[in-house]
Amino acid sequence: AQTVTQSQPEMSVQEAETVTLSCTYDTSESNYYLFWYKQPPSRQMILVIRQEAYKQQNATENRFSVNFQKAAKSFSLKISDSQLGDTAMYFCAFSGGGSQGNLIFGKGTKLSVKP
Amino acid sequence: DTAVSQTPKYLVTQMGNDKSIKCEQNLGHDTMYWYKQDSKKFLKIMFSYNNKELIINETVPNRFSPKSPDKAHLNLHINSLELGDSAVYFCASSQVRAEGFLNEQFFGPGTRLTVL
């Protein structure tokens, strides 16, 4: 069974600085997707970034980028130039191939951006 | 326009009651899901429907019954509510690509259920 582990329950960062959130996963599949979702206090789940396992290039979305290490089964999220609005829970998620496609989530990292 | 909507957003009810949560998506997706987020913020899949057919049914009490009248709707009915059912319930949708891989899932705003 696939599992997703986020080892940092809470993190904090100063505004404008860079922070990296860790995620590791376990799977025997060769093709899959990885995601980072953000959940602010409003509780809305917002997709931050996605990575296809067959792509070697790390995904980037503006200030957000990932370090995808397939062999190590690691998928960390880097947030550059942190902003107060980045304060939220961040969830790493895995989706395998096939028709099911449900997301398997890590337990989340609570990120606080301090002014 | 709202992509995935849920009603109600808040639901407070007594133990033993029966309640329903409705979900609708206007994205034209063919797969819909229900997730439960517990008090520790842990999110777990409950059900998944593809083209109105149940494809995932995790270990969920049979008091929970999903119903999909069409591809755009997936409702969740809960019988005999218990204190432990208190949680936030999220509906989500996605589109299965031809090769079997999926686009990202789009989530509704969540329904906070409180059982007293």
Side-chain angles (χ1 to χ4, degrees):
Chain A
Q2 293 95 346
T3 58
V4 177
T5 302
Q6 292 180 250
S7 58
Q8 305 148 316
E10 291 193 43
M11 294 189 73
S12 65
V13 63
Q14 291 295 128
E15 199 175 6
E17 293 188 347
T18 295
V19 64
T20 298
L21 309 183
S22 301
C23 174
T24 58
Y25 59 94
D26 190 23
T27 183
S28 57
E29 298 188 39
S30 57
N31 291 320
Y32 48 87
Y33 283 119
L34 295 162
F35 305 86
W36 279 97
Y37 279 86
K38 167 185 176 181
Q39 187 178 39
S42 67
R43 83 166 180 248
Q44 179 68 52
M45 294 291 289
I46 302 165
L47 178 68
V48 174
I49 201 165
R50 57 177 279 176
Q51 175 81 42
E52 290 95 333
Y54 59 86
K55 289 187 177 179
Q56 292 186 339
Q57 186 173 8
N58 289 326
T60 299
E61 288 286 343
N62 300 314
R63 298 183 294 108
F64 299 88
S65 61
V66 297
N67 183 2
F68 173 48
Q69 301 289 329
K70 191 172 182 179
K73 295 181 181 172
S74 170
F75 182 61
S76 60
L77 175 70
K78 185 172 84 172
I79 306 174
S80 304
D81 185 26
S82 297
Q83 300 176 358
L84 296 177
D86 296 333
T87 293
M89 284 288 289
Y90 286 81
F91 293 96
C92 179
F94 171 98
S95 177
S99 63
Q100 292 191 348
N102 57 293
L103 293 172
I104 298 167
F105 287 93
K107 292 189 175 181
T109 296
K110 184 176 181 180
L111 177 67
S112 300
V113 180
K114 300 185 184 306
Chain B
D1 283 342
T2 303
V4 183
S5 59
Q6 290 178 233
T7 53
K9 289 187 179 175
Y10 297 93
L11 185 53
V12 181
T13 188
Q14 298 287 330
M15 263 196 317
N17 284 350
D18 303 338
K19 289 293 178 185
S20 292
I21 306 172
K22 295 185 177 182
C23 178
E24 177 181 3
Q25 55 97 2
N26 63 7
L27 298 166
H29 288 166
D30 61 4
T31 306
M32 295 184 73
Y33 311 82
W34 278 109
Y35 290 88
K36 178 180 180 180
Q37 186 173 42
D38 63 23
S39 59
K40 296 184 178 179
K41 302 286 188 183
F42 184 57
L43 279 150
K44 188 173 179 184
I45 184 72
M46 297 175 69
F47 300 103
S48 170
Y49 269 73
N50 177 265
N51 284 317
K52 303 194 300 174
E53 302 262 341
L54 179 66
I55 55 173
I56 293 176
N57 182 353
E58 287 296 307
T59 308
V60 175
N62 56 15
R63 298 182 295 104
F64 290 78
S65 54
K67 286 187 171 47
S68 181
D70 55 58
K71 279 190 349 179
H73 296 84
L74 180 61
N75 303 322
L76 183 64
H77 189 75
I78 315 170
N79 289 327
S80 303
L81 278 155
E82 300 178 357
L83 294 176
D85 297 332
S86 295
V88 178
Y89 292 85
F90 284 97
C91 177
S93 74
S94 69
Q95 179 65 35
V96 177
R97 292 185 185 174
E99 64 267 32
F101 295 113
L102 296 159
N103 286 322
E104 58 267 23
Q105 294 186 16
F106 292 82
F107 283 79
T111 296
R112 180 178 292 281
L113 171 64
T114 302
V115 182
L116 303 175

